[in-house]
């Protein structure tokens, strides 16, 4: 699993012109799922995201986690995170999981995040044409690949 994590002061996602997910202070998480992903990847990445110390403390040092800061999560599925650009100019998405595998994994990831965060996670719509808006706070953007956890 690959996650692009952005600390935001606000973020929302629209499908067909209607806002279906929205947060204020927290994290926008773009999630790419591949066939090699497991429930171990879900558990590890979920805990990593909610405990990542990227929010400022009283001295403006990035020392607080999302849990400490009381923020929310907007989770968006994004298969293009697994794009291979090694050959030619047209990205290949062969590593990205197909919907029959990716959707259940995405749903399990939502459940894991909600359990680790202790509240509901806002989401986009899997496979939909989404319009994502955000105000990146910092800016702070971090990329985590669960295959590089060692």
């Amino acid at each position: 699993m690959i996650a692009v994590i952005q600390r935001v002061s606000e973020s929302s996602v629209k499908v067909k012109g209607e806002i279906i997910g929205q947060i204020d202070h927290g994290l926008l998480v773009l999630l790419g799922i591949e066939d090699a992903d497991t429930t171990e990847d879900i558990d590890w990445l979920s805990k990593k995201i909610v405990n990542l110390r990227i929010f400022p403390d009283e001295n403006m040092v990035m020392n607080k986690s999302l849990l400490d800061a009381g923020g929310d999560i907007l989770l968006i599925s994004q298969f293009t995170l697994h794009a291979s650009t090694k050959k030619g100019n047209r990205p290949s998405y062969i590593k990205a999981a197909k919907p029959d595998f990716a959707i259940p994994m995405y749903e399990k990831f939502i459940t894991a995040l909600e359990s680790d965060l202790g509240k509901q996670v806002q989401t986009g719509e899997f496979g939909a044409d989404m319009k994502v808006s955000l105000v990146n706070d910092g800016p702070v953007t971090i990329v985590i690949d669960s295959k590089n956890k060692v």
Side-chain angles (χ1 to χ4, degrees):
M1 290 186 162
I2 296 175
V4 175
I5 300 155
Q6 296 180 298
R7 188 179 77 189
V8 298
S9 56
E10 61 185 67
S11 186
S12 65
V13 58
K14 290 182 181 180
V15 174
K16 297 179 183 171
E18 183 178 328
I19 294 175
I20 63 165
Q22 183 172 10
I23 63 169
D24 289 322
H25 168 73
L27 299 175
L28 168 64
V29 178
L30 306 174
L31 182 70
I33 300 167
E34 66 176 302
D35 288 327
D37 290 330
T38 66
T39 55
E40 182 181 299
D41 292 300
I42 289 171
D43 294 339
W44 180 85
L45 188 56
S46 176
K47 285 175 181 33
K48 180 64 83 172
I49 289 169
V50 301
N51 290 294
L52 202 59
R53 292 172 30 192
I54 59 172
F55 289 88
D57 64 15
E58 53 283 344
N59 297 314
M60 298 309 292
V61 175
M62 286 197 291
N63 207 23
K64 288 187 171 187
S65 70
L66 183 63
L67 290 169
D68 299 330
D72 294 308
I73 292 176
L74 174 57
L75 178 69
I76 306 293
S77 63
Q78 189 170 352
F79 74 94
T80 60
L81 293 177
H82 285 289
S84 173
T85 57
K86 289 182 180 182
K87 294 169 81 178
N89 292 318
R90 184 171 187 216
S92 168
Y93 303 105
I94 206 149
K95 269 185 77 174
K98 304 290 183 270
D100 61 327
F101 179 78
I103 291 171
M105 292 295 281
Y106 178 70
E107 291 170 351
K108 287 177 186 174
F109 194 75
I110 293 166
T111 301
L113 280 175
E114 289 179 339
S115 176
D116 290 337
L117 188 58
K119 58 180 160 179
Q120 184 178 5
V121 169
Q122 295 292 299
T123 65
E125 181 181 321
F126 190 96
D129 179 23
M130 295 177 275
K131 307 301 180 204
V132 179
S133 299
L134 69 137
V135 176
N136 192 319
D137 180 18
V140 175
T141 302
I142 295 174
V143 179
I144 300 176
D145 186 337
S146 66
K147 301 302 184 242
N148 296 329
K149 59 183 165 258
V150 193

